[in-house]
Amino acid sequence: MTLPITPSIEITSRENERGEVELTLTLEKIEYNRYVKEKDGVYAVYNLMYTIENSGEQFFIAFEPPIHVVNYDYPYQVFYRWYEKPPGPRRFFLMYPGWKRAFNHEIKILSNEEEYYSTHGHDFWFDERFFARSKIMLGAYPKAFDSGYKWCSNSIVVKYWNNNSCYEPTLAHLLVSTPWSYRLRNVTADGKCIEYPFVVKNDDLPEILTQRLGWVEDITAYLSRLTEDIHFILNNENKCFVDDVNNSLYPMTQWVIKVCNWFNSLVKDSQNISLIEKLFNEYENIADVSVSGTTNISMLYFGKIIPEIQELSNDTDELNKWIKNKSWEQPITVKGVIKNVRRGENISISCRGKTVVLRDEDDGCRDHTIHYEFTVSSESVNKEGSYFEPHNCTLIIKGDRHIKNIVTNDIISYCFSNGIYIKNFSMTKWKSKDMQKISTVNENSLLQFIIKTIF
């Protein structure tokens, strides 16, 4: 659904000639909380906070405000519609002048459920990836029986992770943390406007998320450093130098934009896998052209290589070494702790076709705890297209003295190549085979007692 959105500074509607009713709808926070698995799919749950203030001269009467959560960027999509539903008959919503009311509740967004879209006919854009990657704004009908739709006075970017110790990133969180988002900055030299990309690395992401990003975290850091170098070179006070050096930097800036656009298509799930490998293979020649060109121009204008260009040279060399090492083909490290293991029990941990079997006493310490760590291949399996995509690292934990196996949910089991997937378990909720035997014995004893009593 495409919506014509015109953000306004405040929500205003007139009340005859007696004065003015002024309402301000302010979005305070949208932050990821948890994921939930329901019959029709897996949902990401976000906390939503906003306020409505009557700053006018008249009291305000409406039904419970219907709230629409939409993304600020094209294509505009309504992700969530909410009505406050009190128990009993629907009631009016009343606010006198000067009153301010805060709302705090949860919203649910589908999280990468491709099968759901194919079977339910929903628009593919209704997905946590597009919700989390955008600025979000609110809309509401501000008056009872009012057909006019009003928009929130502000928009914010969703915080798509949380800092709880039990937080685990979903597949959508991995995808929207890739360097698809860059800013186009510009400088003016001799009347010309020169644009260049600037990649900002998000240093606020929790460690468990950056560990899962693997090779993507590396390339994000390299792109950020390269564009920072370019930024300092193009902001030199000598505008004639800037105009000339821009031509040499152009191949590099275009390469960065193409790489970011590829990650953008990865978020959309419509990526051309072969393109990123082609870009990596072309990098060395592109870097040589840009660095040698900027070096010559620096010598021409200043008689030396200025520090900014030397830094660019160093960073391009580092990235070239990283590309030749093919980090995206490196294995994934799987590690964690399994607590409350029974004495003498064999625990098998399986991931991506590899299984390791461990016992409590393997580490020389009988503490009912197993520490496991091993690597699994990042070669494509099942429906995976290539090394470059996030890999499904679903874990299966089996105990030979327990009946039930533990299997991690797909949506939180993804990791990029060269990443680290950490998962801890506790076996306290497992039903042991010993307990099943005891239960069977008790049932048989009770049955024998009943038979003897009757007969």
Side-chain angles (χ1 to χ4, degrees):
M1 182 189 301
T2 301
L3 302 175
I5 293 179
T6 306
S8 59
I9 295 180
E10 62 181 10
I11 296 176
T12 303
S13 73
R14 294 192 175 275
E15 182 74 17
N16 298 326
E17 300 297 327
R18 294 175 298 169
E20 196 175 67
V21 176
E22 296 180 358
L23 298 178
T24 301
L25 175 63
T26 304
L27 179 57
E28 304 290 347
K29 181 182 76 171
I30 302 182
E31 182 175 328
Y32 175 78
N33 185 327
R34 66 191 186 280
Y35 78 95
V36 292
K37 195 170 184 178
E38 299 185 357
K39 291 182 179 179
D40 61 348
V42 179
Y43 291 83
V45 179
Y46 286 78
N47 291 329
L48 171 65
M49 291 180 59
Y50 63 94
T51 58
I52 295 180
E53 182 178 7
N54 183 356
S55 52
E57 300 174 2
Q58 300 294 317
F59 65 84
F60 168 76
I61 301 177
F63 288 121
E64 299 81 19
I67 302 298
H68 291 199
V69 180
V70 305
N71 65 323
Y72 189 78
D73 303 316
Y74 180 83
Y76 305 124
Q77 297 292 333
V78 175
F79 282 98
Y80 190 85
R81 292 181 177 90
W82 172 79
Y83 290 80
E84 184 181 26
K85 296 179 180 178
R90 194 178 180 193
R91 62 188 180 190
F92 284 104
F93 178 78
L94 172 64
M95 287 181 64
Y96 285 98
W99 280 20
K100 184 176 183 179
R101 183 174 178 180
F103 295 85
N104 185 353
H105 64 94
E106 296 180 338
I107 60 176
K108 294 193 302 183
I109 309 294
L110 273 170
S111 186
N112 300 101
E113 288 294 289
E114 295 180 22
E115 293 181 3
Y116 181 90
Y117 299 126
S118 62
T119 56
H120 289 70
H122 279 232
D123 192 331
F124 181 65
W125 291 92
F126 286 79
D127 189 289
E128 190 192 2
R129 283 170 285 179
F130 305 98
F131 177 78
R133 68 181 291 182
S134 303
K135 287 183 178 179
I136 300 296
M137 62 190 303
L138 299 181
Y141 297 100
K143 293 178 61 182
F145 315 111
D146 188 358
S147 60
Y149 200 79
K150 306 300 180 182
W151 293 109
C152 185
S153 61
N154 67 323
S155 63
I156 63 174
V157 177
V158 172
K159 183 182 177 184
Y160 57 87
W161 73 92
N162 64 41
N163 298 316
N164 295 339
S165 58
C166 59
Y167 165 71
E168 292 183 89
T170 67
L171 175 58
H173 300 171
L174 291 178
L175 292 173
V176 299
S177 299
T178 63
W180 60 269
S181 180
Y182 63 90
R183 302 172 187 170
L184 273 179
R185 295 189 174 183
N186 63 80
V187 294
T188 302
D190 290 342
K192 299 178 183 177
C193 181
I194 297 172
E195 287 190 328
Y196 59 94
F198 196 83
V199 177
V200 180
K201 186 175 180 295
N202 190 347
D203 293 323
D204 293 331
L205 296 178
E207 186 178 14
I208 189 172
L209 179 50
T210 57
Q211 287 172 334
R212 297 270 194 100
L213 288 172
W215 74 272
V216 174
E217 175 72 3
D218 295 339
I219 190 64
T220 305
Y222 282 119
L223 293 177
S224 179
R225 285 161 54 185
L226 284 181
T227 54
E228 187 177 57
D229 296 338
I230 291 170
H231 167 78
F232 285 122
I233 293 171
L234 291 177
N235 279 270
N236 193 282
E237 293 181 357
N238 190 321
K239 297 305 178 183
C240 292
F241 162 77
V242 171
D243 188 30
D244 285 346
V245 83
N246 175 57
N247 294 325
S248 296
L249 289 173
Y250 186 77
M252 177 67 73
T253 59
Q254 293 306 298
W255 182 85
V256 170
I257 289 174
K258 289 177 181 178
V259 171
C260 290
N261 287 342
W262 183 85
F263 280 109
N264 183 35
S265 67
L266 183 66
V267 177
K268 295 178 181 177
D269 200 36
S270 59
Q271 71 280 4
N272 180 354
I273 292 297
S274 61
L275 176 60
I276 190 66
E277 196 161 15
K278 179 175 180 290
L279 288 170
F280 283 153
N281 290 335
E282 295 173 347
Y283 174 76
E284 186 173 9
N285 290 335
I286 290 173
D288 285 344
V289 168
S290 289
V291 171
S292 61
T294 54
T295 299
N296 293 336
I297 295 172
S298 179
M299 293 297 296
L300 177 65
Y301 276 87
F302 308 112
K304 62 178 182 179
I305 302 176
I306 60 175
E308 293 86 347
I309 291 179
Q310 184 60 57
E311 194 66 30
L312 175 68
S313 177
N314 296 339
D315 289 338
T316 52
D317 285 344
E318 288 296 317
L319 177 53
N320 192 40
K321 292 176 184 176
W322 180 86
I323 289 175
K324 288 182 176 179
N325 188 46
K326 295 187 176 180
S327 176
W328 54 89
E329 293 185 5
Q330 302 304 309
I332 297 167
T333 299
V334 180
K335 60 188 297 186
V337 176
I338 304 174
K339 296 182 177 180
N340 300 306
V341 175
R342 296 174 67 81
R343 180 169 294 180
E345 183 173 19
N346 293 310
I347 301 293
S348 67
I349 307 116
S350 302
C351 181
R352 295 184 63 78
K354 184 173 182 177
T355 299
V356 297
V357 180
L358 298 171
R359 294 162 64 95
D360 172 23
E361 55 267 29
D362 286 346
D363 59 359
C365 181
R366 292 189 175 184
D367 55 0
H368 303 288
T369 302
I370 286 177
H371 297 267
Y372 68 92
E373 181 173 347
F374 57 96
T375 60
V376 294
S377 173
S378 57
E379 292 184 3
S380 301
V381 295
N382 299 327
K383 296 181 180 180
E384 294 172 359
S386 76
Y387 286 105
F388 299 100
E389 297 180 83
H391 302 295
N392 190 330
C393 295
T394 299
L395 284 172
I396 303 174
I397 312 295
K398 299 180 180 179
D400 62 4
R401 296 187 61 184
H402 285 80
I403 303 168
K404 185 180 178 182
N405 301 329
I406 291 182
V407 181
T408 60
N409 288 317
D410 284 355
I411 199 69
I412 56 167
S413 300
Y414 281 87
C415 185
F416 279 99
S417 303
N418 205 31
I420 302 174
Y421 176 49
I422 299 176
K423 180 68 178 177
N424 300 322
F425 301 93
S426 174
M427 298 178 66
T428 53
K429 296 182 180 179
W430 290 6
K431 187 176 181 180
S432 71
K433 292 182 179 179
D434 288 351
M435 290 302 295
Q436 184 189 39
K437 291 177 182 177
I438 294 171
S439 177
T440 303
V441 170
N442 289 338
E443 288 173 3
N444 290 337
S445 300
L446 178 62
L447 180 61
Q448 291 174 6
F449 173 77
I450 293 172
I451 291 174
K452 287 180 181 179
T453 303
I454 295 175
F455 297 99

